[in-house]
Amino acid sequence: MSDFIRWPIFSLLPEEFLCSIKTALVFGNSGNEAILVTHDDEVFGIGSNLSSCLGVGDQQNCLLPRKVETLCHKKLCDLSFGSGPHVLALTETGEVYAWGHNGYCQIGNGNTSQNPVFIPTILPVLQGKVITQIACGSHHSLALTSEGEVYAWGYNNCGQIGSGSMTNQSSPRKVASTLNNRKIVSVVCGQTSSLALSDTGEIFAWGYNGNGQLGVGNNTNQPCPYKVTGLGGIFMVKIACGYAHALGLSDSGLLFAWGANSYGQLGTGNKNHLVKPMEIASDKGRFIDIAASPSSHISVACIANGKLYMWGHCRGQAVTTPTETNFTKMNEVFACFSSPPLMHKPLVIEREDTRTVGKCVGEAFNDQETSDLTFMIEGKPVYVHKAVLKIRCEHFRTMFQSHWGEDEKDVIEITQFSFVVYEAFLKYLYTDKVELIPEDAIGLLDLANSYCEDQLKKLCERIIKEGITVDNAAMLMAAAIKYEAKKLEEFCFQFCVNHLTAVSQTDAFAHLDEATLKGFVQKAGQRGAFKY
């Protein structure tokens, strides 16, 4: 299968078995270990089994998969590894299992024995809490609860547990201090550092800081969470950690980097370390995703058009500026250029549809030779098939009933929507895909609302969210209100509040109608936007 072809550890596995895999995580000192979860919810380990990290009950190496009985049918939804090495697994119900090396209490089961844990063990301290995210450093671990609380355990020689001391922690302990009364939405680990992102867009860091990887403006270790500096007024939505550097992504698509830079992993064009965040690659476009691994010195980022960039320690070379790749998935970059070639997060495989009906239907869109109906929009034709439209859309199923006049027509003229919008809608019915800029997606959102197409409405909202800017935020918010897209309205509103000064100076904001403007000001005031 193409998803696994770049990973040598899978080269001996039969295609039938590869087709059964739903989730895979490659780890180990040389990318020579993996945990696999099948669509039938069975779990397997394969590889060198250092410190019993395969979870199969012993330390025997294996070239072919061995079943991890303890984790089968537990509905695993995430996996994370530490280079210590140890492994964490998270279930859909929010339970955490741990196994592997325990020389520094990183398993978190309360046992201070340095012997490896051969079988995945559920962490009793976290039972009763719904864990939504897990992360591993070299010898420490983090877990995030559904209520936004952070728990940490393991090695604490640099304060990476965030407990205020340097004492190792053998079972999960809540990270308090400056995180009290804050809701955390994401956690990541460097080798010996920890980062957390709050729902207010702020980043907090603690642990080792010899290379400035905490981003707090100095090189002093921090045993308690400390707010990352230099990001005032910028709302951050994603964080990632490499071995000793960090990346941050803002809600407006700005990319920031800080920490160690010996291999150019900050993307600044040089190898100077940074003790606080610096915006990079502003000329590449709007960034929508970032990735790094605490086991390597490589950075990866994706821009809105899907292009992937990489920089840092790339296959032994120091690449100091973001370089465009031909990859389509971030994990492919790590497979081919990271040292070691690990996965930065689990690879999730959607079950393939072996039928070709979808492909054939997609290719039939706008095919004049096979069509039996033409839509004319702004004088331009779009060729379609009544049967496809009736199958895909309730609006057309009703329109083409025998007692309606449209059922007898070969050409139908559309006047209430633009050509760009209506063509995109018809193409969506054939392909399930939408390719529009946010400003045009607003028109499609109007159509989706009128035709009661809820799935299309969600796609339009995603496009708008990924393309929102200071210049168009007010207009997009007003449109979301008009079309009763509540979640989108809240997203646009929050973006406007995050960038209130800049948004209020735009033409779009100046053209808001009186009712919308009044509602925005009242709501912003209730959220504390105008506090002195």
Side-chain angles (χ1 to χ4, degrees):
M1 288 178 63
S2 60
D3 294 288
F4 300 108
I5 196 170
R6 300 186 188 279
W7 304 95
I9 192 171
F10 302 127
S11 59
L12 294 180
L13 301 186
E15 184 175 350
E16 181 181 358
F17 182 80
L18 290 175
C19 289
S20 73
I21 297 175
K22 175 184 178 183
T23 306
L25 180 69
V26 175
F27 58 99
N29 292 336
S30 302
N32 54 0
E33 296 175 277
I35 301 294
L36 310 172
V37 185
T38 70
H39 286 285
D40 294 330
D41 203 21
E42 293 191 320
V43 183
F44 296 85
I46 181 174
S48 62
N49 205 16
L50 184 65
S51 293
S52 195
C53 276
L54 298 187
V56 293
D58 56 42
Q59 298 188 70
Q60 297 299 311
N61 302 347
C62 51
L63 284 174
L64 297 176
R66 295 177 61 192
K67 190 171 289 189
V68 186
E69 299 285 356
T70 308
L71 296 179
C72 288
H73 308 295
K74 297 296 185 181
K75 298 186 181 300
L76 300 188
C77 63
D78 197 9
L79 294 158
S80 184
F81 67 92
S83 60
H86 70 293
V87 183
L88 299 182
L90 177 65
T91 71
E92 291 180 359
T93 55
E95 295 177 314
V96 179
Y97 289 80
W99 64 100
H101 189 260
N102 197 39
Y104 301 92
C105 306
Q106 60 264 50
I107 299 304
N109 60 1
N111 191 338
T112 58
S113 169
Q114 295 188 7
N115 296 324
V117 176
F118 291 180
I119 297 175
T121 303
I122 195 167
L123 300 189
V125 172
L126 296 178
Q127 287 185 288
K129 304 180 186 301
V130 178
I131 303 302
T132 59
Q133 189 180 358
I134 51 177
C136 293
S138 59
H139 300 87
H140 77 287
S141 307
L142 301 178
L144 177 65
T145 74
S146 59
E147 296 178 343
E149 298 175 328
V150 180
Y151 284 79
W153 62 96
Y155 200 25
N156 196 34
N157 64 322
C158 304
Q160 56 265 50
I161 301 305
S163 61
S165 72
M166 300 293 177
T167 303
N168 295 350
Q169 182 66 34
S170 62
S171 59
R173 173 176 177 170
K174 182 179 176 181
V175 181
S177 183
T178 50
L179 297 189
N180 277 332
N181 302 317
R182 296 181 187 275
K183 184 175 182 179
I184 301 303
V185 296
S186 181
V187 291
V188 293
C189 292
Q191 276 282 298
T192 51
S193 60
S194 305
L195 264 67
L197 176 67
S198 76
D199 64 348
T200 57
E202 299 171 303
I203 302 174
F204 296 85
W206 59 98
Y208 182 69
N209 195 32
N211 299 290
Q213 56 261 60
L214 300 188
V216 297
N218 56 50
N219 293 106
T220 304
N221 295 352
Q222 300 292 335
C224 293
Y226 199 98
K227 185 177 176 180
V228 172
T229 60
L231 295 173
I234 299 172
F235 194 96
M236 306 302 289
V237 293
K238 288 186 178 181
I239 50 176
C241 271
Y243 188 97
H245 78 287
L247 303 175
L249 179 66
S250 81
D251 64 346
S252 56
L254 304 180
L255 176 60
F256 294 84
W258 60 96
N261 199 27
S262 301
Y263 301 95
Q265 59 264 48
L266 300 188
T268 57
N270 57 52
K271 296 183 179 181
N272 300 324
H273 300 341
L274 293 175
V275 297
K276 61 181 180 180
M278 175 179 174
E279 184 184 351
I280 63 168
S282 58
D283 61 325
K284 303 300 182 185
R286 183 192 182 98
F287 287 92
I288 60 172
D289 203 1
I290 54 176
S293 167
S295 296
S296 67
H297 307 280
I298 194 171
S299 301
V300 183
C302 178
I303 61 174
N305 65 4
K307 290 182 179 179
L308 291 179
Y309 290 82
M310 69 177 186
W311 60 100
H313 194 207
C314 301
R315 200 185 291 163
Q317 299 184 54
V319 179
T320 61
T321 58
T323 300
E324 184 178 337
T325 75
N326 293 321
F327 299 112
T328 58
K329 299 177 181 178
M330 286 186 167
N331 261 326
E332 292 178 333
V333 181
F334 286 88
C336 297
F337 283 91
S338 175
S339 301
L342 312 173
M343 288 183 178
H344 75 288
K345 69 176 183 179
L347 175 64
V348 178
I349 310 296
E350 299 295 335
R351 191 186 293 269
E352 287 190 355
D353 185 357
T354 56
R355 299 174 300 168
T356 60
V357 172
K359 182 179 180 181
C360 292
V361 171
E363 292 174 349
F365 173 69
N366 215 7
D367 181 2
Q368 185 176 5
E369 184 178 344
T370 62
S371 73
D372 57 1
L373 176 66
T374 302
F375 281 101
M376 293 297 296
I377 314 107
E378 298 177 351
K380 303 174 186 177
V382 179
Y383 304 104
V384 293
H385 309 75
K386 287 183 181 179
V388 173
L389 301 189
K390 286 194 288 186
I391 291 171
R392 290 282 286 141
C393 178
E394 180 65 32
H395 172 80
F396 289 122
R397 192 155 42 247
T398 302
M399 175 187 288
F400 296 133
Q401 291 178 1
S402 58
H403 60 274
W404 282 58
E406 282 81 354
D407 190 50
E408 303 297 327
K409 294 181 179 180
D410 295 325
V411 179
I412 297 176
E413 187 171 357
I414 300 297
T415 58
Q416 62 268 47
F417 299 103
S418 70
F419 176 82
V420 170
V421 166
Y422 213 79
E423 182 195 38
F425 168 57
L426 294 173
K427 188 173 183 179
Y428 159 77
L429 296 180
Y430 281 74
T431 65
D432 277 327
K433 297 178 181 178
V434 175
E435 297 174 356
L436 289 176
I437 62 174
E439 288 76 7
D440 289 331
I442 285 293
L444 190 55
L445 179 63
D446 180 20
L447 185 152
N449 200 50
S450 299
Y451 286 11
C452 300
E453 289 285 334
D454 291 338
Q455 186 61 35
L456 178 58
K457 197 172 178 179
K458 292 178 182 178
L459 281 174
C460 293
E461 291 178 3
R462 190 193 70 192
I463 292 170
I464 293 167
K465 287 180 179 180
E466 291 181 353
I468 193 170
T469 65
V470 166
D471 290 328
N472 66 18
M475 180 272 288
L476 297 179
M477 180 186 69
I481 294 172
K482 179 180 178 180
Y483 302 132
E484 298 181 347
K486 297 297 184 183
K487 290 184 179 179
L488 179 60
E489 176 190 343
E490 175 60 27
F491 177 86
C492 293
F493 168 81
Q494 188 60 57
F495 185 94
C496 289
V497 171
N498 295 345
H499 307 271
L500 185 56
T501 300
V503 169
S504 65
Q505 305 302 311
T506 63
D507 289 339
F509 191 84
H511 286 89
L512 290 177
D513 63 73
E514 184 177 347
T516 301
L517 181 59
K518 182 178 179 181
F520 172 79
V521 172
Q522 289 177 335
K523 189 175 179 180
Q526 293 169 358
R527 300 285 182 90
F530 305 118
K531 288 182 179 180
Y532 290 102

